[in-house]
Amino acid sequence: MTVAGRKLVIVESPAKAKTIAGYLGADWDVEASVGHIRDIPTPSEMPAEMKKGPFGRFGVNIEDDFDPFYVVDADKKKKVRELKSLLKNADELYLATDEDREGEAIAWHLYETLQPKVPVKRMVFHEITREAIQRAATQTRDINVALVDAQETRRILDRLYGYEVSPVLWRKVKAGLSAGRVQSVATRMVVERERERMAFVRASYWDVDADLTPGAEEDLFTARLTGVDGKRVATGRDFADDGTLKGDRHVQLDEEQATGIAEALRRAEVSVAEVSEKPYTRRPSAPFTTSTLQQEASRKLRLNSRNAMRVAQRLYENGYITYMRTDSTALSDAALSAARQQAREMYGGDYVPDAPRRYEKKVKNAQEAHEAIRPAGDRFRTPKQVEGELRGDELRMYELIWMRTIASQMADARGSTASLKIAATLRDGAPAREVELSASGTVITFRGFLAAYEEGRDDARSNRDDEERRLPKLGAGRPLTVRRAEAGGHETSPPARYTEATLVKAMEERGIGRPSTYASTIGTIQDRGYVTNRGSALIPSWLAFAVTRLMETHFARLVDYDFTASMEEDLDAIARGDEQRAAWLRRFYFGDEASSADGLRDLVEDLGDIDARAISTIDIGDGIVVRVGRYGPYVEEVVPAGVDPKTGEVLDATATGEGQPRRASITDDVAPDELTPAMARELLEQAADDGRVLGQDPDTGRDIVAKAGRYGPYVTEVLPEDEAGGKGKAKVKPRTASLFADMDLKTIELETALRLLSLPRVVGVDPESGEDITAQNGRYGPYLKKGSDSRSLTSEQQLFDITLDEALAIYAQPKQRGRAAAKPPLAELGTDPVSGKPVVVKDGRFGPYVTDGETNATLRKDDDPEQITPERGYELLADKRAKGPAKKTARKKATKKATTKKAATKKAAKKTAAKTSGTKKASTAKKA
């Protein structure tokens, strides 16, 4: 029996549900769907009766208006049952997922799956405060079918793109690779920047700095040489990427010229030639959008994109900030009033302009659906007021958002900028030379918004033109004394690599991707091995070069920046209702006859012959190439016929054509722009080297050699020809052992090499079982083995040193899950607010994890076990609890159940597909 007046609210996350429940009355039930509850299945997840039908290949019927087939995820079936049970006791359903396309799609999927018989209302809000939630409960709307169409189109588009293009990469580059509408373009951007660095030619130039004063030491200032005999002195910005000067209006000083000018300046008569002064004004930055928040969090908080969004998500769900996935810079009237009032209270009325500042987004394809990211509520809480509730990264990010919002409504910074041109005549030779020096300084007389906030910079080395520097008051003709004059040499720098912050900025400027996708896109290209991090810089792998070259050569339109941005515009049109989902997908996949544009299917079918070897070959110059092979990248140099590939000695002067190539593996620590032909030859020489003979094994008489290999330095024995094997002979495998981490290939001696080759070492015999205990070195490090029971050791040196008694003591301890050697916690995080038990970070067999003794949660890729905050640890445990215990047999049961339906007729299968796929979503949404 339904309880009168009972209302069920469904949101995405448990944290959001908990916060919202506190703002609604006792007759409201708030439950979380924990994200999406259903999706288009992969072919392996497709029900057996559907695999041979029109949905079998993509999970999408491309012949019937691109109708998708959806299934409830195996790990969400329990959640769906729980929601249906709650729905039985409710007489109203509120779908309160996020107010964006993905949130709208989640709401629609919930509606389609739950099939409610009670009235359904779409509840939307952009902040989780009591006022906002209670207001949203009374101001509901219907599901926006156009937004659902846009998100569904994006999902189908990504499925078609990935399933058609990825197999080409598997066949022609490497198995297991993936292509994606946004990820492939982002990879191309990183690769193109590395190509620019590889092609860059450094140029050297010199300049002169001088310390000058009109008399008093406190008036000392620095000026730089800017002109010689009427020509401007070249600086780094005046050189092209090939190392040549742009134009002929500059003079490039070398060391001798610059040193001579510096020496002559110390003796020259110097005076002020020209003085100019102009007002200085600087406006505050707009409030945060998703991309600018990620950029600033990278600069100031040292958070990568994924971690920044995790922290922002927690702040939003707990009611501290507004919705964090937005590309709007607008603030509501209430937020404008709150920011202005708080700025006035903290800094005074002079720091607040007469009218509110309103910002317009000037980024391609910007959507103004939400507010900018700001503190939640109609009156903002200061960072001081939330110190007791927030800690670590959450407090720092809240403070960042608060400062940026307040500053956006404050007055301009004002001041004046003075510029001096200084003339000197150098009489150290004939004829005399006229040189010019320049100095500028900015004095800020009113700090305005700078009193609250100043935006960070991507390039810490650059000097801001508006950096505050004070010059003395001087007039034209005023003589100056040179206190110091020094020449300095410089080299031009290649274009800076992208960081996560600058890549997000570049993608946003080009209109590629959306705020909600930036973090996941960067995470994907890192997880796929296309991009790695060195500090904050993003470095493409050689694999990324090969993939990008194939895409540029055979799928040029798909990785074209303008085409990718135009797809975002088309999705926007679908969201507005100006474009039809099925018609747009038909043009994308089958082609557009009106414009004679090929579709994705035609591009894949008409590829022709792809030279996989050529695609995976990158020429680095001087006859040396990099090839991306099955086992990784390597350098190759083809030696002419008749030349010894190892020594370079000419063996046959009459030989013509190509001889045997020389090859050497490339280690992961070498960035593409660092692999010069000279370095490549060093690698080739090391690979061609037969190794250093350390001596002979006294027991076997075989030579022991130390060599550098693909996986690091190692020692091995050289077998005689009769043992080495050949045609018709049994081959004996030589003993080989890797060097320990603290060993040096250049200094290793025969005695140590023999000890390495003696492994595994028998430590002794277990007196109880009679089994040998051996010390061995394995893939996951050193360990002991007794029969099938293995225990980890803490250091490689123990392989040589551990005694039988010590080994028996290790085996006497209870066996730990994974790595057997018990280790102290990596970090202690405090008491979990849910379980009330102490939380620690431990190192497990499969990596670091956080645990409270009851629940274990593996750290994500970007979580640093040594720097993880308590809040992050609690969040990981909460996420793991929300998912519930892993059910290994769930998928097997689902497959078995699906198999029993094989006898179903095609008509019944088609009916099921139509019902599940949502072809009637317009009518069902209208009912909502």
Side-chain angles (χ1 to χ4, degrees), residues 729-750:
K729 295 182 180 180
K731 189 170 183 179
V732 178
K733 190 174 181 180
R735 292 177 298 160
T736 301
S738 296
L739 271 61
F740 290 175
D742 59 352
M743 294 179 180
D744 189 342
L745 180 65
K746 296 178 181 179
T747 59
I748 189 171
E749 298 176 347
L750 177 62

Side-chain angles (χ1 to χ4, degrees), residues 90-284:
D91 59 4
E92 282 186 300
L93 173 62
Y94 289 74
L95 299 175
T97 50
D98 290 336
E99 191 185 8
D100 58 10
R101 294 174 190 173
E102 188 167 8
E104 204 74 16
I106 293 175
W108 176 75
H109 282 297
L110 285 165
Y111 181 89
E112 290 289 301
T113 303
L114 299 178
Q115 292 291 306
K117 301 294 191 291
V118 298
V120 179
K121 299 178 180 180
R122 180 76 170 99
M123 177 177 168
V124 294
F125 44 84
H126 63 271
E127 63 181 1
I128 304 177
T129 60
R130 184 178 301 277
E131 296 78 9
I133 296 303
Q134 292 177 349
R135 184 167 53 246
T138 60
Q139 299 176 0
T140 58
R141 60 171 173 80
D142 291 338
I143 292 176
N144 188 323
V145 179
L147 289 180
V148 176
D149 273 343
Q151 182 62 26
E152 189 173 65
T153 304
R154 181 186 297 274
R155 183 71 186 92
I156 296 171
L157 168 62
D158 290 342
R159 173 59 64 94
L160 297 174
Y161 191 120
Y163 276 39
E164 287 284 23
V165 180
S166 295
V168 180
L169 301 183
W170 303 344
R171 296 193 301 270
K172 298 302 179 181
V173 181
K174 185 180 178 182
L177 299 179
S178 72
R181 178 178 56 89
V182 179
Q183 76 173 59
S184 295
V185 175
T187 301
R188 182 190 177 197
M189 292 173 69
V190 179
V191 168
E192 282 196 332
R193 180 58 55 87
E194 196 73 7
R195 287 172 178 164
E196 294 173 6
R197 291 175 63 89
M198 293 167 72
F200 184 80
V201 178
R202 293 184 182 273
S204 62
Y205 63 95
W206 284 70
D207 61 15
V208 177
D209 282 343
D211 289 344
L212 309 170
T213 179
E217 289 299 323
E218 61 268 20
D219 289 334
L220 192 73
F221 65 95
T222 300
R224 174 163 293 182
L225 180 71
T226 53
V228 175
D229 291 332
K231 283 194 171 184
R232 194 160 67 84
V233 174
T235 61
R237 71 187 67 176
D238 299 317
F239 290 88
D241 287 349
D242 61 1
T244 61
L245 274 173
K246 302 173 185 176
D248 58 357
R249 293 179 297 174
H250 307 90
V251 56
Q252 181 179 359
L253 299 181
D254 57 24
E255 181 178 7
E256 182 180 355
Q257 292 171 317
T259 302
I261 290 173
E263 292 176 353
L265 262 177
R266 299 182 196 119
R267 303 186 299 271
E269 293 183 359
V270 181
S271 61
V272 177
E274 183 181 323
V275 179
S276 62
E277 190 169 341
K278 60 182 179 181
Y280 164 84
T281 302
R282 184 175 166 196
R283 293 174 56 84

Side-chain angles (χ1 to χ4, degrees), residues 37 226 337 339 389 603 631 788 802:
I37 59 168
T226 53
S337 176
E389 305 167 25
L603 288 175
Y631 300 107
S788 60
I802 192 168

Side-chain angles (χ1 to χ4, degrees), residues 804-816:
L804 177 59
D805 288 341
E806 291 170 336
L808 292 173
I810 291 176
Y811 275 102
Q813 300 295 322
K815 186 168 184 177
Q816 304 294 317

Side-chain angles (χ1 to χ4, degrees), residues 76-92:
K76 291 297 179 67
K77 290 183 177 180
K78 179 181 177 182
K79 174 58 66 176
V80 170
R81 288 195 298 270
E82 292 174 355
L83 294 174
K84 285 184 175 180
S85 177
L86 288 169
L87 190 57
K88 290 179 181 179
N89 296 318
D91 59 4
E92 282 186 300

Side-chain angles (χ1 to χ4, degrees), residues 391 829-839 874:
R391 292 183 293 176
L829 303 182
T831 302
D832 184 79
V834 176
S835 67
K837 296 187 175 183
V839 178
Y874 307 153

Side-chain angles (χ1 to χ4, degrees), residues 323-346:
Y323 191 55
M324 69 291 159
R325 292 188 179 95
T326 175
D327 50 15
S328 171
T329 54
L331 293 175
S332 66
D333 290 341
L336 289 172
S337 176
R340 288 167 56 81
Q341 179 62 29
Q342 202 158 60
R344 190 177 291 109
E345 291 172 356
M346 298 187 69

